[in-house]
Amino acid sequence: MEPIVSATIDALVERGVDRSWIQTGNAASLPASFGLRDTRWDIVITKDDVPLGAIEFTAQSGSSAAKNLNNRIHEATSRALAVRSSDHNGGLQPQLGLFIMLEQGGSTSVQPRLEAALNQFLDDELYDEIAYTCYSDVGLREPSEGMSVQRFVDRFSRRLLARAVGPLEEITPNLERYREVIEAARGEKKDYSLERVPKRGGQAEVLRGGCTKRQASRLLSSGDYLSGRRQVPGWGARSRSPAS
């Protein structure tokens, strides 16, 4: 998995995550509950001693996937739950990501069981983002559009950057419907204050409720709020959508 971990780190950095925030090896751990000192992850992203997120990578080989699937699901569940239950993360829940590669073998029971577990991880918010791939002699495929690698790195990096800036605690009622877009924006919080917005046109129409959500998304994505648009080697073209 080392090449996959390395490529993911490069993709996060390309999207604006500072490489100095990214920890691997023995330093990649998060505080945990249930009497555990910490939990180990393949990647942990920390800024100013505040954990912003973590990613675990795992592969299931075709020959042993059926035997080990229950153990892998238990491990992924307990690792995330220990972090979610901890009160030692600076009052901010870190983003948790799971990157899983399944080698398709002779057993037909593994894939539906695995997919059911992954969907429940997302539904129960144990994990914020999941990348799910299957590979065989004929190549690599992504069975679920909602768990594609492209979506994973785009959304995970965007969420990390939003947490690095910090939550916008005070949003006036007319801006509430744009909270998700604004919080995903990059930059300093002061850059989004109403005092800096002109009375008419452009962002003024967005922030003062004068345009549709679709128009707001287009305006915000056209500036320097989200990550750039250069293609990232290995992961394809970068998404331009300002979705959360």
Side-chain angles (χ1 to χ4, degrees):
M1 297 295 288
E2 288 184 8
I4 305 299
V5 174
S6 178
T8 301
I9 292 174
D10 290 341
L12 294 176
V13 172
E14 281 283 338
R15 285 159 173 77
V17 177
D18 195 309
R19 192 177 290 272
S20 67
W21 300 350
I22 301 175
Q23 301 171 339
T24 58
N26 292 333
S29 64
L30 289 178
S33 58
F34 306 116
L36 300 174
R37 183 177 180 182
D38 52 30
T39 57
R40 297 290 183 181
W41 297 76
D42 290 307
I43 294 175
V44 168
I45 302 94
T46 303
K47 180 187 179 186
D48 299 329
D49 296 324
V50 176
L52 302 178
I55 304 175
E56 181 69 13
F57 295 78
T58 184
Q60 289 286 287
S61 65
S63 59
S64 61
K67 297 179 181 179
N68 296 331
L69 182 61
N70 285 347
N71 289 338
R72 298 292 84 77
I73 292 174
H74 288 157
E75 289 171 0
T77 303
S78 61
R79 179 183 287 106
L81 186 59
V83 174
R84 295 296 188 209
S85 303
S86 174
D87 57 0
H88 301 294
N89 288 310
L92 181 70
Q93 279 287 338
Q95 291 291 300
L96 300 183
L98 180 64
F99 196 120
I100 186 163
M101 299 182 68
L102 173 66
E103 180 184 9
Q104 292 182 301
S107 176
T108 59
S109 65
V110 173
Q111 188 166 340
R113 290 166 57 203
L114 174 61
E115 291 177 1
L118 297 180
N119 283 316
Q120 188 165 354
F121 285 160
L122 293 176
D123 290 342
D124 294 345
E125 298 182 343
L126 276 180
Y127 287 89
D128 298 286
E129 299 295 338
I130 294 176
Y132 166 44
T133 64
C134 292
Y135 63 97
S136 62
D137 292 340
V138 298
L140 183 73
R141 67 185 186 89
E142 298 173 309
S144 172
E145 183 179 352
M147 302 183 202
S148 69
V149 173
Q150 182 71 52
R151 177 185 172 92
F152 177 86
V153 293
D154 281 344
R155 288 167 60 93
F156 196 84
S157 59
R158 195 171 295 133
R159 290 171 181 266
L160 287 176
L161 292 170
R163 275 158 175 72
V165 171
L168 302 180
E169 297 177 356
E170 296 182 6
I171 295 182
T172 57
N174 64 308
L175 300 182
E176 185 62 37
R177 57 181 172 158
Y178 301 120
R179 174 185 290 272
E180 204 170 35
V181 177
I182 294 172
E183 288 191 340
R186 291 176 56 187
E188 299 297 329
K189 284 184 284 187
K190 62 180 176 61
D191 295 333
Y192 306 102
S193 63
L194 285 177
E195 289 73 13
R196 295 174 61 88
V197 179
K199 295 295 183 182
R200 297 180 60 81
Q203 290 183 46
E205 300 300 327
V206 177
L207 296 177
R208 301 184 191 282
C211 68
T212 66
K213 188 173 183 179
R214 181 182 295 274
Q215 290 169 327
S217 298
R218 288 176 178 173
L219 283 170
L220 288 173
S221 63
S222 66
D224 293 328
Y225 301 94
L226 305 177
S227 56
R229 298 174 179 172
R230 289 179 298 133
Q231 184 166 333
V232 179
W235 296 127
R238 182 175 306 174
S239 170
R240 301 184 184 182
S241 169
S244 62

